[in-house]
Amino acid sequence: MSEPIIAVEHVCKSVTDSTGTLDILRDIDFTLAERETVAIVGASGSGKSTLLSIIAGLDTPTSGTVRLAGQDLFDIDEDDRAGLRAQKVGFVFQSFQLLGNLTALENVMLPLELAGRRDARKVATEMMGRVGLAQRLSHYPRVLSGGEQQRVALARAFVVQPAVLLADEPTGSLDYATGESVMKLMFDLNAERGTTLVLVTHDNAIAQRCDRRITIEAGRLVETLVPQ
């Protein structure tokens, strides 16, 4: 049996302030296989986005760990974590997080350039065509619609062919029809590229499209359902 691409091992996360200690995540433990699509669902404040940040190595657990492609994320320093993310992980956020001073094409080129790819412009241009934005290469984010910005964000995430794509409420800022279009594109790209998709969502219809659904309730993993 092949090693899981992601192993979340007894992860706990607590924060302490003048009012006491708040347990955000409590003993979260699960594994994800290569090419799986997984929805993390739960009410606002249940710890979904915190869990996603820990899976990415952007936040640190109070105890427990996460292994990405066999590497313990918290057994290496931040520079090495950043390097591993650049190689293995793509991100898509509700707020798009495009750089406003770069064109759509330059936003998609950026991770390739950071990786030292000499063919960054060619590869990014092809990816922009794949997401239906071949006519928007020189446009800046401020003149793009929300759906177009999220397509740029998808192109930027997939252009490095990541092993894992992490998406945090990727349709939360979009209307229903645009969100449906973006989600179809995300699942199509995911299938084409063979990535593992970890998706935080409030939308049950989106969660039902995934292979598995993990529910977080008050910081605990309460069920893992496989939709029939």
Side-chain angles (χ1 to χ4, degrees):
M1 186 173 180
S2 61
E3 184 175 51
I5 187 67
I6 296 171
V8 179
E9 301 176 352
H10 303 291
V11 162
C12 298
K13 177 69 176 182
S14 302
V15 294
T16 302
D17 61 17
S18 59
T19 64
T21 299
L22 174 65
D23 295 322
I24 300 173
L25 296 172
R26 309 179 189 198
D27 197 29
I28 304 296
D29 194 85
F30 62 89
T31 61
L32 304 178
E34 291 182 352
R35 305 180 76 95
E36 255 194 302
T37 58
V38 181
I40 300 176
V41 301
S44 295
S46 60
K48 304 185 303 297
S49 293
T50 299
L51 176 58
L52 200 70
S53 292
I54 290 173
I55 291 172
L58 295 169
D59 194 1
T60 56
T62 304
S63 61
T65 197
V66 174
R67 297 182 188 277
L68 175 61
Q71 173 65 61
D72 185 336
L73 289 180
F74 305 106
D75 193 38
I76 55 179
D77 63 27
E78 178 51 40
D79 286 345
D80 287 340
R81 276 200 297 275
L84 189 61
R85 278 195 298 272
Q87 294 173 16
K88 301 288 187 182
V89 182
F91 298 92
V92 180
F93 301 97
Q94 177 177 338
S95 56
F96 317 134
Q97 297 206 2
L98 301 177
L99 297 177
N101 62 325
L102 300 182
T103 65
L105 178 61
E106 289 167 343
N107 267 280
V108 179
M109 288 172 59
L110 186 59
L112 294 169
E113 292 177 327
L114 292 173
R117 292 279 296 269
R118 294 185 178 182
D119 58 350
R121 181 171 294 274
K122 176 180 181 292
V123 174
T125 299
E126 291 171 353
M127 194 69 212
M128 285 287 285
R130 176 62 187 84
V131 300
L133 293 177
Q135 307 305 313
R136 295 286 190 269
L137 301 183
S138 61
H139 289 65
Y140 287 89
R142 64 179 179 273
V143 300
L144 299 176
S145 69
E148 287 172 335
Q149 289 186 62
Q150 194 60 293
R151 285 170 177 266
V152 175
L154 282 176
R156 181 182 60 187
F158 278 106
V159 76
V160 293
Q161 299 192 32
V164 176
L165 180 72
L166 304 177
D168 194 358
E169 298 285 1
T171 62
S173 298
L174 306 175
D175 63 72
Y176 177 79
T178 304
E180 280 290 296
S181 174
V182 166
M183 287 310 304
K184 182 180 185 305
L185 178 61
M186 177 180 289
F187 280 102
D188 286 350
L189 287 170
N190 193 71
E192 288 173 17
R193 305 287 167 132
T195 57
T196 298
L197 173 63
V198 184
L199 174 69
V200 166
T201 183
H202 282 99
D203 190 326
N204 191 54
I206 292 174
Q208 290 288 343
R209 299 185 189 183
C210 294
D211 299 325
R212 293 168 61 194
R213 181 172 61 202
I214 292 173
T215 302
I216 304 296
E217 184 176 295
R220 295 186 184 277
L221 193 159
V222 296
E223 58 186 2
T224 302
L225 300 179
V226 179
Q228 299 300 316

